């Protein structure tokens, strides 16, 4: 994982790990061993150096949603491996491994909950699951969440942690861009607000579809936001990339996001946005 | 590409015989017919042996009918509209109103250019945010003036550059998909050559998606997949195979509606016929689509993309 962000909002690379398996996590930035339970209190920010640990979908949900208000919406979908794809390893194996490690069907978790007493429909991506890539299951789950939000008339919040499309599903994953956008249009027709939260990373096909169509977009400090990978850009254009390229600040400066906030303020920021957007749907 | 030296030799022989027939008064009709049928057989055999990677090369063939020349050969009239009205014009993604048979339409198409200078200017068909904002503008016009939208897709992908990112290429693509899905007119996309990732789907979320027989449509190029997944550029042909990016494979996956046949050997062997066949196919599709009530069309469009490439639940027996 090519992950290292400096200055404020560094992201700390954490190896794929089974949820709740280890008691201690080492900060890759400063080397500090941090007690896992302690991390929960600090929003998974290193108490010594301030670097951000990756959040699993469940950890992200817990950090945003009011205590005891979260109710998952489980579809039970799992990838069909539509292309019967094999590279150096069968995709099937990668899926099984990712499922075992994360305990998830795929790279997104959908549910209902409250933030500061305001209801929302939440879809949170999990980067551990094949880089948070969008294949048929992620596309389906996000579409279901959007449709449900439209039906219930409660705001939809998408927390992005995705490297882009799921390459192993080929054109099937490409179709998920159209699928999620179609469902997003349905939510728009129902006049229900949509807030996107960009975290590390928010890139590729995920960014070039539903994620870029929110009414309000909040970036977590340390997010990476961009369509093409930095290496691809350098190779194609021979251009030198600016220092701040594809950071949250870069996105803010270029009009791509509305706010950039540190992790510890994300929940309050979301609550503020929900307050002004969903006053009519209180409770 | 498949070794085509035998075919080239036969082609040369045919030219020679025809010249002989014209020059002297020898009657070589029988010999010519024999050679022609032999050539056809060879081409068919070669065609059947083509690997996915061969198809990729055919889709990228420098002489493949595409872009502005194809549009000019296909349309009775075409009036190009330029500029995104927000600061620029992208020569890689173009369009304008046109007349196809009995239909007035709005055409959108990628343009790769034929000369090296033009190809550089068009970035080989990789469109920028300006291109996708122009396509958005043209879709607005089409919606207003009730012109069905036809897109001819032929791009390695959207242009990866610093400026693309600064001008929010991802957002431009997303908006283009969104607008195309919400249009109050029928829409048809033709994957003409390369249907490369987000840069392709941006103008391909249509009521009907057709694919030229040798076109490819994929989320990533075989080279890209080989680099990322195999970590070995020599695995490119393997990646092409694994990605299932050819027209017959995508038809089987039910991601496209129909295949437009090409001349044996590829569309570039008969550009005139390619343009005529494509026009005929499009007119036929337009006639069918235009008969549908708009509500029904939009409902079917939603269903199509809502169900595209869906996973089945583990409990679902189907
Ligand atoms: Zn630290």
């Amino acid at each position: 994982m090519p992950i290292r962000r400096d200055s404020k909002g560094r992201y700390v690379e954490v190896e794929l790990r089974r949820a709740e398996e280890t008691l201690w996590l080492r900060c890759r930035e400063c080397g500090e061993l941090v007690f896992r339970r302690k991390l929960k209190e600090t929003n998974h920010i290193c108490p010594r150096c301030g670097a951000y640990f990756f959040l699993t979908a469940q950890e992200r949900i817990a950090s945003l949603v009011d205590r005891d208000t979260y109710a998952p919406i489980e579809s039970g979908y799992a990838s069909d491996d539509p292309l019967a794809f094999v590279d150096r390893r069968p995709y099937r194996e990668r899926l099984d491994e990712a499922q075992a490690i994360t305990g998830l069907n795929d790279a997104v978790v959908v549910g209902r909950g409250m933030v500061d007493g305001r209801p929302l429909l939440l879809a949170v991506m999990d980067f551990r699951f094949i880089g948070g890539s969008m294949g048929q299951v992620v596309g389906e789950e996000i579409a279901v969440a959007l449709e449900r939000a439209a039906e219930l008339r409660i705001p939809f919040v998408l927390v992005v942690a995705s490297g882009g499309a799921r390459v192993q599903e080929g054109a099937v994953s490409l179709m998920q861009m159209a699928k999620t956008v179609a469902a997003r249009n349905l939510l728009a027709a129902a006049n229900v607000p949509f807030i996107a939260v960009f975290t590390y990373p928010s890139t590729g096909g995920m960014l070039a579809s539903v994620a870029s169509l929110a009414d309000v977009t909040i970036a977590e400090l340390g997010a990476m936001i961009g369509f093409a990978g930095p290496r691809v850009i350098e190779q194609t254009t021979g251009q030198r990339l600016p220092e701040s390229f594809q950071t949250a600040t870069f996105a803010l400066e270029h009009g791509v996001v509305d706010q950039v906030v540190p992790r510890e303020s994300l929940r309050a920021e979301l609550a503020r946005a929900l307050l002004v957007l969903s006053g009519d749907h209180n409770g | 590409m498949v070794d085509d030296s035998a075919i080239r030799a036969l082609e040369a022989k045919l030219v020679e015989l025809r010249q002989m027939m014209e020059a002297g008064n020898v009657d070589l009709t029988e010999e010519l017919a024999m050679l022609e049928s032999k050539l056809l057989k060879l081409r068919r055999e070669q065609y059947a042996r083509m690997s996915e990677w061969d198809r990729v090369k055919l889709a990228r063939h420098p002489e493949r009918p595409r872009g502005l020349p194809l549009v000019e050969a296909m349309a009775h009239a075409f009036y190009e509209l330029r500029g995104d009205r927000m600061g620029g014009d992208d020569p890689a993604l173009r369009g304008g109103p046109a007349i196809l048979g009995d239909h007035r339409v709005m055409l959108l198409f990628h343009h790769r250019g034929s000369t090296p200078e033009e190809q550089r200017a068009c970035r080989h068909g990789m469109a920028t945010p300006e291109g996708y904002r122009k396509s958005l503008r043209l879709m607005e016009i089409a919606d207003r003036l009730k012109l069905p939208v036809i897109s001819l897709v032929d791009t390695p992908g959207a242009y990866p550059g610093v400026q693309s990112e600064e001008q929010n290429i991802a957002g431009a693509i997303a908006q283009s998909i969104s607008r195309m899905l919400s249009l109050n007119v029928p829409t048809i996309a033709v994957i003409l050559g390369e249907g490369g990732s987000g840069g392709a789907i941006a103008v391909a979320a249509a009521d009907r998606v057709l694919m030229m027989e040798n076109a490819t449509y994929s989320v990533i190029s075989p080279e890209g997949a080989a680099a990322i997944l195999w970590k070995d550029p020599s695995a490119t042909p393997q990646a092409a195979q694994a990605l299932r990016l050819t027209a017959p494979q995508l038809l089987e996956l039910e991601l496209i509606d129909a295949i437009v046949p090409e001349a044996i050997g590829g569309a570039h062997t008969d550009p005139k016929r390619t343009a005529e066949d494509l026009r005929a196919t499009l007119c036929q599709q337009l006639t069918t689509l235009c008969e549908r009530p708009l509500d029904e069309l939009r409902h079917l469009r939603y269903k199509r993309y809502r169900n595209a490439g869906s996973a089945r639940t583990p409990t679902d027996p189907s």
Side-chain angles (χ1 to χ4, degrees), chain A:
Chain A
M1 277 182 272
I3 291 142
R4 193 137 297 195
R5 274 266 181 252
D6 217 347
S7 74
K8 283 173 198 146
R10 286 160 293 190
Y11 260 91
V12 177
E13 177 180 332
V14 175
E15 280 156 31
L16 285 178
R17 58 193 155 96
R18 283 170 202 275
E20 309 302 327
E21 192 177 69
T22 53
L23 280 176
W24 298 86
L25 289 174
R26 184 179 296 280
C27 174
R28 292 269 182 114
E29 202 64 39
C30 70
E32 181 88 341
L33 266 178
V34 194
F35 196 38
R36 180 187 281 277
R37 204 175 306 156
K38 170 84 182 166
L39 270 179
K40 237 173 220 171
E41 289 161 21
T42 64
N43 255 317
H44 297 259
I45 301 169
C46 174
R48 183 163 158 208
C49 77
Y52 291 2
F53 284 75
F54 262 106
L55 291 187
T56 67
Q58 295 303 343
E59 288 163 351
R60 178 67 76 180
I61 292 164
S63 81
L64 293 178
V65 172
D66 299 349
R67 193 181 292 270
D68 299 327
T69 63
Y70 183 75
I73 299 171
E74 279 162 3
S75 68
Y77 288 111
S79 175
D80 294 337
D81 185 9
L83 310 190
F85 193 93
V86 179
D87 50 79
R88 291 180 306 167
R89 286 173 67 195
Y91 174 42
R92 188 77 263 164
E93 258 179 51
R94 289 184 198 267
L95 281 171
D96 291 345
E97 185 187 86
Q99 283 163 354
I101 286 168
T102 60
L104 303 174
N105 288 344
D106 212 295
V108 72
V109 173
V110 171
R112 286 182 68 174
M114 303 254 202
V115 170
D116 231 12
R118 286 172 198 284
L120 65 137
L121 213 307
L122 191 63
V124 179
M125 308 198 64
D126 196 311
F127 187 74
R128 295 173 303 161
F129 201 107
I130 316 187
S133 52
M134 176 162 69
Q136 52 178 194
V137 176
V138 170
E140 182 69 28
E141 301 260 11
I142 290 177
V144 165
L146 281 157
E147 285 173 337
R148 191 65 76 85
E151 185 192 319
L152 298 169
R153 309 190 64 78
I154 57 175
F156 175 63
V157 174
L158 172 64
V159 182
V160 182
S162 172
R166 177 86 44 93
V167 175
Q168 294 91 341
E169 292 186 18
V172 168
S173 73
L174 197 57
M175 290 305 124
Q176 307 310 312
M177 294 173 68
K179 171 179 297 186
T180 54
V181 171
R184 192 279 170 263
N185 285 352
L186 189 90
L187 187 77
N191 309 111
V192 174
F194 167 20
I195 302 173
V197 176
F198 291 173
T199 73
Y200 190 100
S202 300
T203 57
M206 172 51 67
L207 192 69
S209 59
V210 61
S212 275
L213 297 172
D215 301 305
V216 172
T217 306
I218 302 166
E220 184 178 69
L221 199 64
M224 178 193 192
I225 301 159
F227 177 64
R231 225 178 323 153
V232 173
I233 295 174
E234 275 173 338
Q235 279 168 4
T236 312
T237 65
Q239 279 171 300
R240 261 259 205 66
L241 304 182
E243 180 84 8
S244 67
F245 195 58
Q246 295 184 332
T247 59
T249 318
F250 180 89
L252 186 69
E253 279 166 4
H254 290 95
V256 174
V257 300
D258 296 295
Q259 299 290 343
V260 176
V261 295
R263 180 176 285 172
E264 60 271 28
S265 311
L266 199 53
R267 185 178 174 279
E269 189 72 20
L270 198 54
R272 273 195 333 126
L274 284 167
L275 170 70
V276 292
L277 287 174
S278 63
D280 289 341
H281 308 284
N282 203 346

Side-chain angles (χ1 to χ4, degrees), chain B residues 32-62:
Chain B
L32 272 173
M34 208 186 70
L35 279 183
E36 267 165 1
S37 82
K38 197 171 165 192
L39 179 63
L40 193 67
K41 190 165 158 266
L42 264 181
R43 278 192 170 146
R44 281 219 177 95
E45 282 169 10
Q46 185 205 51
Y47 215 54
R49 276 200 310 270
M50 260 194 331
S51 70
E52 285 82 358
W53 179 232
D54 293 326
R55 296 250 191 192
V56 173
K57 289 190 207 156
L58 216 44
R60 294 173 182 169
H61 196 287

Side-chain angles (χ1 to χ4, degrees), chain B residues 9 11 31 37 75 79 86-87 96 107 114-115 159 172 190-191 203 225 250 263 278 292 303:
Chain B
E11 281 171 342
E31 286 85 344
S37 82
Y79 190 85
M86 298 169 108
L107 282 181
S114 28
T115 64
Y159 185 66
V190 183
I191 312 299
V203 288
L250 291 166
L278 192 53
R292 284 248 161 88
K303 253 179 66 184

